[in-house]
């Protein structure tokens, strides 16, 4: 195995470890916190976590074995057929779950007062049923037509052009339909919904900015440092929504675009794709299982709070005592600096953070 193979093997091993740990933490938080289980987005996140865990347990290790042994993993064609079926099913299911999450966020932001009537658990179950049926249809067609197997270009059990040589146009139409109705459809849904969310977020930021500037104008004797901090918070508020939406769409594009484009080019290119590029594009697709737990779950306040509670419970530490100790230590540090400026800043925090 050359240096590129060693680097790719190390990369996949790291992806497997981080993906398993992060997705297991998300699953534990879901099972531990009843509030998360009651929320509609929790069903979509649970489905996405389920797909990522199966991908990390079933498909990624076979790719690692294929890289290390430089050949056919799994020991039998049956194992590779099952892994190829799961590769198509899980990848398609995870993409559609991201589209469902973007629709849920759009409804929550654009229609906040009627969200609970528009997005019920029954609606979430129907959406998940569609993602499963959609994914199963494509995966079953590929498996029944024997279009899945070990692909040397990607060092994994997945859709295989060499096994579909006799199909010709049928395999080409199937592959184009698969990526159009999964990758492209999900990308369009995410762009449309998140851009509408961004539009609403910017509108609310403008309203808050007007209130902030009016407050700063009325408080003539405000300390310059407090005024500067208010302006900085105003700037961060405008950038926060843009950063989040850029993260949602950006991680999806970075992880899946190289793999999908390589698949499409492979259909029409007379030459063979470089195995180094094919394995790299597959690793990027696998890395989405690493980013999803952080992008959609672990960076949110509710999940971070649940993780903190689990850590305190594991260490047999009372969260009330630990928080009180932090408050007391912070109060001790700020006792000598407590003056009229702090009173002014606390009075500003209410209108600035509705």
């Amino acid at each position: 195995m050359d240096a590129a193979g060693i680097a790719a093997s190390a990369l996949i091993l790291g992806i497997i470890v981080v993906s398993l740990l992060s997705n297991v933490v998300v699953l534990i938080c879901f099972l531990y916190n009843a509030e998360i289980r009651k929320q509609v987005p929790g069903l979509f996140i649970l489905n996405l976590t389920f797909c990522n865990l199966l991908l990390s347990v079933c498909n990624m290790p076979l790719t690692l074995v294929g890289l290390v042994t430089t050949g056919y993993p799994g020991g039998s064609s049956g194992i590779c057929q099952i892994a190829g079926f799961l590769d198509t099913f899980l990848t398609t299911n995870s993409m559609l779950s991201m589209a469902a999450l973007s629709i849920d966020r759009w409804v929550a932001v654009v229609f906040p007062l009627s969200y609970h009537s528009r997005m019920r658990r029954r609606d979430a179950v129907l959406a998940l049923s569609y993602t499963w049926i959609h994914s199963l249809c494509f995966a079953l067609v590929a498996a029944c037509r024997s279009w899945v197997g070990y692909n040397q270009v990607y060092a994994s059990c997945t859709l295989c052009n060499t096994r579909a040589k006799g199909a010709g146009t049928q395999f080409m139409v199937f592959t184009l339909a698969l990526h159009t109705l999964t990758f492209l459809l999900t990308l369009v849904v995410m762009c449309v919904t998140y851009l509408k969310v961004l539009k609403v977020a910017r509108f609310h930021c403008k309203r808050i900015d007007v209130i902030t500037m009016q407050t700063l104008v009325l408080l003539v004797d405000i300390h310059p440092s407090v005024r500067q901090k208010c302006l900085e918070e105003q700037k961060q508020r405008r950038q926060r929504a843009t950063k989040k939406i850029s993260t949602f769409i950006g991680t999806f594009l970075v992880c899946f675009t190289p793999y999908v484009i390589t698949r499409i080019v492979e259909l029409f290119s007379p030459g063979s794709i470089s195995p180094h590029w094919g394995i790299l594009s597959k690793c990027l697709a696998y890395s989405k299982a690493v980013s999803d737990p952080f992008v959609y779950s672990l960076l949110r306040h509710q999940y971070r709070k649940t993780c903190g509670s689990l850590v305190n419970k594991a260490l047999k530490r009372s969260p009330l005592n630990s928080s009180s100790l932090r408050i007391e230590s912070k109060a001790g540090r700020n006792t000598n600096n407590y003056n009229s400026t702090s009173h002014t800043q606390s009075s500003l925090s209410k209108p600035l953070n509705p």
Side-chain angles (χ1 to χ4, degrees):
M1 187 167 53
D2 56 1
I6 295 174
S9 301
L11 178 60
I12 292 180
L13 182 61
I15 290 174
I16 293 173
V17 173
V18 178
S19 176
L20 285 174
L21 291 176
S22 56
N23 283 284
V24 166
V25 170
V26 173
L27 185 60
I28 292 174
C29 290
F30 182 87
L31 297 175
Y32 180 79
N33 194 323
E35 291 298 324
I36 295 177
R37 293 197 302 272
K38 292 178 182 178
Q39 297 172 358
V40 172
L43 295 177
F44 300 132
I45 293 175
L46 179 64
N47 187 63
L48 186 60
T49 303
F50 168 77
C51 294
N52 291 335
L53 282 174
L54 273 182
L55 201 64
S56 303
V57 171
C58 300
N59 292 83
M60 295 184 193
L62 287 180
T63 302
L64 180 60
V65 172
L67 283 172
V68 173
T69 60
T70 320
Y72 181 83
S76 68
S77 60
I79 294 178
C80 202
Q81 288 281 327
I82 294 173
F85 168 84
L86 287 176
D87 181 76
T88 305
F89 171 76
L90 296 175
T91 304
T92 304
N93 201 337
S94 63
M95 287 187 187
L96 295 177
S97 297
M98 297 171 208
L101 279 168
S102 68
I103 294 174
D104 177 82
R105 291 176 187 271
W106 169 68
V107 175
V109 173
V110 179
F111 308 101
L113 298 179
S114 59
Y115 169 75
H116 293 289
S117 61
R118 290 174 180 266
M119 189 62 70
R120 295 164 293 182
R121 293 183 70 88
R122 184 182 65 183
D123 301 321
V125 171
L126 289 175
L128 287 178
S129 300
Y130 170 76
T131 63
W132 275 69
I133 294 172
H134 182 115
S135 306
L136 278 173
C137 287
F138 279 102
L140 285 174
V141 169
C144 292
R145 300 282 298 190
S146 298
W147 290 343
V148 292
Y150 182 72
N151 195 327
Q152 189 69 40
V153 175
Y154 307 99
S156 58
C157 296
T158 181
L159 290 175
C160 190
N161 288 23
T162 56
R163 295 180 63 90
K165 281 184 177 179
T169 306
Q170 293 180 358
F171 180 74
M172 186 179 299
V173 171
F174 171 82
T175 305
L176 291 175
L178 171 64
H179 295 307
T180 301
L181 296 177
T182 53
F183 173 78
L184 187 60
L185 175 65
T186 301
L187 180 60
V188 170
V189 170
M190 291 178 69
C191 289
V192 172
T193 53
Y194 282 133
L195 287 178
K196 289 185 179 294
V197 169
L198 181 61
K199 183 178 179 180
V200 174
R202 286 179 174 176
F203 173 74
H204 288 300
C205 284
K206 287 181 181 179
R207 293 180 60 187
I208 297 174
D209 291 344
V210 171
I211 297 173
T212 302
M213 297 307 298
Q214 290 176 348
T215 305
L216 293 177
V217 170
L218 291 174
L219 297 175
V220 182
D221 58 343
I222 190 173
H223 195 275
S225 62
V226 179
R227 182 186 296 271
Q228 183 63 29
K229 184 176 181 181
C230 292
L231 295 176
E232 290 177 358
E233 290 180 353
Q234 179 178 331
K235 182 179 179 181
Q236 292 175 0
R237 193 184 301 114
R238 290 196 298 265
Q239 296 176 347
R240 193 175 299 126
T242 304
K243 289 180 179 179
K244 287 183 178 180
I245 292 173
S246 300
T247 302
F248 293 142
I249 300 177
T251 53
F252 180 82
L253 286 174
V254 170
C255 293
F256 285 123
T257 302
Y259 180 70
V260 172
I261 292 178
T262 304
R263 279 294 191 178
I264 296 175
V265 170
E266 191 179 17
L267 292 174
F268 302 99
S269 176
S272 59
I273 303 295
S274 171
H276 295 308
W277 171 252
I279 294 170
L280 177 60
S281 64
K282 193 65 177 176
C283 289
L284 287 174
Y286 283 154
S287 66
K288 195 68 174 69
V290 174
S291 64
D292 285 342
F294 297 97
V295 171
Y296 292 103
S297 304
L298 296 180
L299 295 181
R300 292 175 55 192
H301 173 72
Q302 199 169 24
Y303 281 86
R304 287 189 282 112
K305 184 179 179 181
T306 304
C307 289
S309 300
L310 290 172
V311 171
N312 290 329
K313 188 175 182 180
L315 297 177
K316 297 181 179 180
R317 184 176 59 188
S318 172
L320 181 62
N321 293 337
S322 60
S323 60
S324 63
L325 288 174
R326 287 196 298 269
I327 293 173
E328 289 176 1
S329 61
K330 185 176 180 180
R333 290 195 303 269
N334 295 335
T335 300
N336 297 329
N337 298 326
Y338 189 79
N339 49 32
S340 59
T341 303
S342 63
H343 285 288
T344 307
Q345 185 174 355
S346 63
S347 65
L348 280 173
S349 62
K350 293 182 179 179
L352 287 178
N353 298 287

